[in-house]
Amino acid sequence: MAAIGFEGYEKRSPGFTKAQVDEILNPVECTNVYSLSNEHVDSYVLSEPSLFVFPYKIVIKTCGTTKLLISISAILKLAESISLTVQSTRYTRGCFIFPSAQSYPYRSFTEEVSVMDGHFEKFGLASKE
């Protein structure tokens, strides 16, 4: 998953609490191994992916099997709780060598986009071809 951009970043608290980060990570079954923060970004080295929280966007990167799409609901809930609104989204991924061995919705990019659209169409951010 790539950047989820938010409008109203000036209202963001300075960093997420451990409980807030855990709320995003627990559904995808990964843990925070180490975190580092400065005035520009909070970065989290996770058990498989990495999480970067900027005042205006969240970036989650993985090269493994973490099911990042599951975290979208928790991210949107957290954003709403601190009065942030979604401005834009971007989702990218490479190709699987064995796509049929993946679980839904990770068998195809089309399935993944469908899940993203399910979350972001209400913000007027449906996928573009």
Side-chain angles (χ1 to χ4, degrees), residues 31-81:
T31 56
N32 182 11
V33 176
Y34 181 77
S35 63
L36 184 63
S37 298
N38 64 30
E39 65 274 10
H40 304 289
V41 63
D42 299 333
S43 64
Y44 302 87
V45 177
L46 309 177
S47 55
E48 189 170 292
S50 294
L51 169 66
F52 302 92
V53 180
F54 296 86
Y56 55 91
K57 68 181 172 182
I58 294 172
V59 178
I60 303 175
K61 302 287 254 174
T62 187
C63 60
T65 57
T66 304
K67 295 166 177 56
L68 297 178
L69 294 175
I70 297 170
S71 67
I72 295 172
S73 292
I75 291 170
L76 292 175
K77 181 180 172 186
L78 176 57
E80 183 179 6
S81 76

Coordinates of all heavy atoms in Angstrom, one line a residue, residues 31-81:
T31 N 3.7 -6.7 14.2 CA 4.0 -5.9 15.4 C 5.0 -4.9 15.2 O 5.8 -4.9 14.3 CB 4.5 -6.9 16.5 OG1 5.6 -7.6 16.0 CG2 3.4 -7.9 16.9
N32 N 5.0 -3.8 16.0 CA 6.0 -2.8 16.0 C 7.2 -3.2 16.7 O 7.2 -3.5 17.9 CB 5.4 -1.5 16.7 CG 6.3 -0.3 16.6 OD1 7.3 -0.3 15.9 ND2 6.0 0.7 17.4
V33 N 8.3 -3.3 15.9 CA 9.6 -3.8 16.5 C 10.4 -2.6 17.0 O 11.1 -2.6 18.0 CB 10.4 -4.5 15.4 CG1 11.8 -4.9 15.9 CG2 9.7 -5.7 14.9
Y34 N 10.3 -1.4 16.3 CA 11.1 -0.3 16.6 C 10.5 1.0 16.0 O 9.9 0.9 14.9 CB 12.6 -0.4 16.1 CG 13.5 0.7 16.4 CD1 14.0 0.8 17.7 CD2 13.8 1.7 15.5 CE1 14.9 1.9 18.0 CE2 14.6 2.7 15.8 CZ 15.2 2.8 17.1 OH 16.0 3.9 17.4
S35 N 10.5 2.1 16.7 CA 10.0 3.3 16.1 C 11.0 4.5 16.4 O 11.8 4.4 17.3 CB 8.7 3.7 16.8 OG 8.8 3.9 18.1
L36 N 10.9 5.4 15.5 CA 11.8 6.6 15.5 C 11.0 7.8 15.0 O 10.2 7.6 14.0 CB 13.0 6.4 14.6 CG 14.1 7.4 14.6 CD1 14.7 7.5 16.0 CD2 15.2 7.0 13.5
S37 N 11.1 8.9 15.6 CA 10.3 10.1 15.3 C 11.2 11.3 15.2 O 12.2 11.5 15.9 CB 9.2 10.3 16.3 OG 8.3 9.2 16.3
N38 N 10.8 12.3 14.3 CA 11.3 13.6 14.4 C 10.2 14.5 14.0 O 9.0 14.1 14.0 CB 12.5 13.7 13.4 CG 12.2 13.5 12.0 OD1 11.1 13.8 11.5 ND2 13.1 13.0 11.2
E39 N 10.4 15.8 13.8 CA 9.4 16.8 13.5 C 8.7 16.5 12.2 O 7.6 17.1 11.9 CB 9.8 18.2 13.6 CG 10.9 18.6 12.6 CD 12.3 18.3 13.0 OE1 12.6 17.6 14.0 OE2 13.2 18.8 12.2
H40 N 9.3 15.7 11.3 CA 8.7 15.5 10.0 C 8.0 14.2 9.8 O 7.0 14.1 9.0 CB 9.8 15.6 8.9 CG 10.6 16.8 8.9 ND1 10.1 18.1 8.5 CD2 11.8 17.1 9.4 CE1 10.9 19.0 8.7 NE2 12.0 18.5 9.2
V41 N 8.4 13.1 10.5 CA 7.8 11.8 10.3 C 8.0 10.9 11.5 O 8.9 11.1 12.2 CB 8.5 11.1 9.0 CG1 10.0 10.9 9.3 CG2 7.8 9.8 8.6
D42 N 7.0 10.0 11.7 CA 7.1 9.0 12.7 C 7.3 7.7 11.8 O 6.5 7.4 10.9 CB 5.9 8.8 13.5 CG 5.5 10.0 14.3 OD1 6.4 10.8 14.6 OD2 4.3 10.2 14.6
S43 N 8.4 7.0 12.1 CA 8.6 5.7 11.3 C 8.6 4.5 12.2 O 9.0 4.6 13.4 CB 10.0 5.8 10.6 OG 11.1 5.9 11.5
Y44 N 8.1 3.4 11.7 CA 7.9 2.2 12.5 C 8.5 1.1 11.7 O 8.0 0.8 10.6 CB 6.4 2.0 12.8 CG 5.8 3.1 13.6 CD1 5.2 4.2 12.9 CD2 5.7 3.1 14.9 CE1 4.6 5.2 13.5 CE2 5.1 4.2 15.6 CZ 4.6 5.2 14.9 OH 4.0 6.3 15.6
V45 N 9.5 0.4 12.3 CA 9.9 -0.9 11.7 C 9.1 -2.0 12.3 O 9.0 -2.1 13.5 CB 11.4 -1.1 12.0 CG1 11.9 -2.4 11.5 CG2 12.3 0.0 11.5
L46 N 8.4 -2.7 11.4 CA 7.4 -3.7 11.9 C 8.0 -5.1 11.6 O 9.0 -5.2 11.0 CB 6.1 -3.5 11.1 CG 5.6 -2.0 11.2 CD1 4.3 -1.9 10.3 CD2 5.3 -1.6 12.6
S47 N 7.3 -6.0 12.1 CA 7.8 -7.4 12.0 C 7.9 -7.8 10.5 O 8.7 -8.7 10.2 CB 6.9 -8.4 12.8 OG 5.5 -8.2 12.3
E48 N 7.1 -7.2 9.6 CA 7.3 -7.5 8.2 C 7.3 -6.2 7.4 O 8.2 -5.9 6.7 CB 6.3 -8.5 7.7 CG 6.6 -8.9 6.3 CD 5.7 -10.1 5.8 OE1 5.9 -11.2 6.4 OE2 4.9 -9.9 4.9
P49 N 6.2 -5.4 7.4 CA 6.2 -4.2 6.7 C 6.8 -3.1 7.5 O 7.3 -3.2 8.6 CB 4.7 -3.9 6.4 CG 4.1 -4.5 7.6 CD 4.9 -5.7 8.0
S50 N 6.9 -1.9 6.9 CA 7.3 -0.7 7.6 C 6.2 0.3 7.4 O 5.5 0.4 6.4 CB 8.6 -0.1 6.9 OG 9.6 -1.0 7.2
L51 N 6.0 1.2 8.5 CA 4.9 2.2 8.5 C 5.6 3.5 8.7 O 6.4 3.7 9.6 CB 4.0 1.9 9.7 CG 3.0 2.9 10.1 CD1 1.9 3.1 9.0 CD2 2.3 2.5 11.4
F52 N 5.2 4.5 7.9 CA 5.7 5.9 8.0 C 4.5 6.8 8.1 O 3.6 6.8 7.3 CB 6.5 6.3 6.8 CG 7.7 5.3 6.5 CD1 7.6 4.2 5.7 CD2 8.9 5.6 7.2 CE1 8.7 3.4 5.5 CE2 10.0 4.7 7.0 CZ 9.9 3.6 6.1
V53 N 4.5 7.6 9.1 CA 3.4 8.5 9.4 C 3.9 9.9 9.3 O 4.7 10.4 10.1 CB 2.7 8.3 10.8 CG1 1.6 9.2 11.0 CG2 2.3 6.8 10.9
F54 N 3.5 10.6 8.2 CA 3.8 12.0 8.0 C 2.6 12.8 8.5 O 1.5 12.3 8.6 CB 4.1 12.3 6.6 CG 5.3 11.6 6.0 CD1 5.2 10.3 5.5 CD2 6.5 12.2 6.0 CE1 6.3 9.7 5.0 CE2 7.6 11.6 5.5 CZ 7.5 10.3 5.0
P55 N 2.7 14.1 8.7 CA 1.6 14.9 9.0 C 0.5 14.9 8.0 O -0.7 15.1 8.3 CB 2.1 16.4 9.2 CG 3.6 16.2 9.5 CD 4.0 14.9 8.7
Y56 N 0.8 14.6 6.7 CA -0.1 14.7 5.6 C -0.4 13.3 4.9 O -1.1 13.3 4.0 CB 0.3 15.7 4.6 CG 1.7 15.5 4.2 CD1 2.0 14.7 3.0 CD2 2.8 16.0 4.9 CE1 3.3 14.4 2.6 CE2 4.1 15.7 4.5 CZ 4.3 14.9 3.4 OH 5.6 14.7 3.0
K57 N 0.4 12.3 5.3 CA 0.1 11.0 4.7 C 0.7 9.8 5.5 O 1.5 10.0 6.4 CB 0.8 10.9 3.3 CG 2.3 10.9 3.3 CD 2.8 10.9 1.9 CE 4.3 11.1 1.8 NZ 4.8 11.1 0.5
I58 N 0.2 8.7 5.2 CA 0.6 7.4 5.8 C 1.1 6.5 4.7 O 0.4 6.4 3.7 CB -0.6 6.7 6.6 CG1 -1.0 7.5 7.7 CG2 -0.1 5.3 7.0 CD1 -2.3 7.0 8.4
V59 N 2.3 5.9 4.9 CA 2.8 5.0 3.9 C 3.1 3.7 4.6 O 3.8 3.7 5.6 CB 4.1 5.6 3.3 CG1 4.7 4.6 2.3 CG2 3.9 6.9 2.6
I60 N 2.6 2.6 4.0 CA 2.9 1.3 4.5 C 3.5 0.5 3.4 O 2.9 0.4 2.3 CB 1.6 0.5 5.0 CG1 0.9 1.3 6.1 CG2 2.0 -0.8 5.5 CD1 -0.4 0.7 6.5
K61 N 4.7 -0.1 3.6 CA 5.4 -0.8 2.6 C 5.7 -2.2 3.1 O 6.0 -2.4 4.2 CB 6.7 -0.1 2.2 CG 6.6 1.3 1.8 CD 6.1 1.4 0.4 CE 7.2 1.8 -0.5 NZ 6.8 1.8 -1.9
T62 N 5.6 -3.2 2.2 CA 5.9 -4.5 2.5 C 6.4 -5.3 1.3 O 6.0 -5.0 0.2 CB 4.8 -5.3 3.2 OG1 5.3 -6.6 3.6 CG2 3.6 -5.5 2.2
C63 N 7.3 -6.2 1.5 CA 7.7 -7.1 0.4 C 7.4 -8.5 0.8 O 7.8 -9.5 0.2 CB 9.2 -7.0 0.1 SG 10.3 -7.4 1.6
G64 N 6.6 -8.6 1.8 CA 6.2 -10.0 2.3 C 4.8 -10.3 2.1 O 4.1 -9.9 1.1
T65 N 4.2 -11.0 3.0 CA 2.8 -11.5 2.9 C 1.8 -10.8 3.8 O 0.7 -11.3 3.9 CB 2.8 -13.1 3.2 OG1 3.3 -13.3 4.5 CG2 3.6 -13.8 2.1
T66 N 2.2 -9.7 4.4 CA 1.3 -9.0 5.3 C 0.1 -8.5 4.5 O 0.2 -8.0 3.4 CB 2.0 -7.8 5.9 OG1 3.2 -8.2 6.6 CG2 1.1 -7.1 6.8
K67 N -1.1 -8.8 5.0 CA -2.3 -8.4 4.3 C -2.7 -7.0 4.6 O -3.6 -6.7 5.5 CB -3.4 -9.4 4.7 CG -3.1 -10.8 4.2 CD -3.9 -11.9 4.9 CE -3.7 -13.2 4.3 NZ -2.3 -13.7 4.4
L68 N -2.0 -6.0 4.0 CA -2.1 -4.6 4.3 C -3.5 -4.1 4.1 O -3.9 -3.1 4.8 CB -1.1 -3.8 3.5 CG 0.4 -4.2 3.8 CD1 1.3 -3.3 3.0 CD2 0.6 -3.9 5.3
L69 N -4.3 -4.6 3.1 CA -5.6 -4.0 2.8 C -6.5 -4.1 4.0 O -7.5 -3.3 4.2 CB -6.2 -4.7 1.6 CG -5.5 -4.5 0.3 CD1 -6.1 -5.3 -0.8 CD2 -5.5 -3.0 -0.1
I70 N -6.3 -5.1 4.9 CA -7.1 -5.3 6.1 C -6.9 -4.0 7.1 O -7.8 -3.7 7.8 CB -6.7 -6.6 6.9 CG1 -7.0 -7.8 6.0 CG2 -7.4 -6.7 8.2 CD1 -6.5 -9.1 6.5
S71 N -5.8 -3.3 7.0 CA -5.6 -2.2 7.8 C -6.3 -0.9 7.4 O -6.4 0.0 8.2 CB -4.1 -1.9 7.9 OG -3.6 -1.4 6.7
I72 N -6.9 -0.9 6.3 CA -7.6 0.3 5.8 C -8.7 0.8 6.7 O -8.7 2.0 7.1 CB -8.1 0.1 4.4 CG1 -7.0 -0.1 3.4 CG2 -9.0 1.4 4.0 CD1 -7.5 -0.5 2.0
S73 N -9.5 -0.1 7.2 CA -10.6 0.4 8.1 C -10.1 1.0 9.4 O -10.6 2.0 9.8 CB -11.5 -0.8 8.5 OG -12.2 -1.3 7.4
A74 N -9.0 0.4 9.9 CA -8.4 0.9 11.2 C -7.8 2.3 10.9 O -7.9 3.2 11.7 CB -7.4 0.0 11.7
I75 N -7.1 2.5 9.8 CA -6.5 3.7 9.4 C -7.6 4.8 9.2 O -7.4 5.9 9.8 CB -5.6 3.6 8.1 CG1 -4.4 2.7 8.4 CG2 -5.2 5.0 7.6 CD1 -3.6 2.3 7.2
L76 N -8.6 4.5 8.5 CA -9.7 5.5 8.3 C -10.4 5.8 9.7 O -10.7 7.0 9.9 CB -10.7 4.9 7.3 CG -10.2 4.8 5.9 CD1 -11.3 4.2 5.0 CD2 -9.8 6.1 5.3
K77 N -10.6 4.9 10.5 CA -11.2 5.1 11.8 C -10.3 6.1 12.7 O -10.7 7.0 13.3 CB -11.4 3.8 12.6 CG -12.0 3.9 13.9 CD -12.2 2.6 14.6 CE -12.7 2.7 16.0 NZ -12.7 1.4 16.7
L78 N -9.0 5.8 12.6 CA -8.0 6.6 13.4 C -8.0 8.0 12.8 O -8.0 9.0 13.5 CB -6.6 6.0 13.3 CG -5.5 6.8 13.9 CD1 -5.8 7.1 15.4 CD2 -4.2 6.1 13.8
A79 N -8.0 8.1 11.5 CA -8.0 9.5 10.8 C -9.2 10.3 11.2 O -9.1 11.4 11.6 CB -7.9 9.3 9.3
E80 N -10.4 9.6 11.2 CA -11.6 10.3 11.6 C -11.6 10.7 13.1 O -12.0 11.8 13.4 CB -12.8 9.4 11.4 CG -14.1 10.0 11.7 CD -15.3 9.1 11.5 OE1 -15.1 7.9 11.1 OE2 -16.4 9.6 11.6
S81 N -11.0 9.9 13.9 CA -10.9 10.3 15.4 C -10.0 11.5 15.6 O -10.2 12.1 16.7 CB -10.4 9.1 16.2 OG -9.0 8.9 16.0

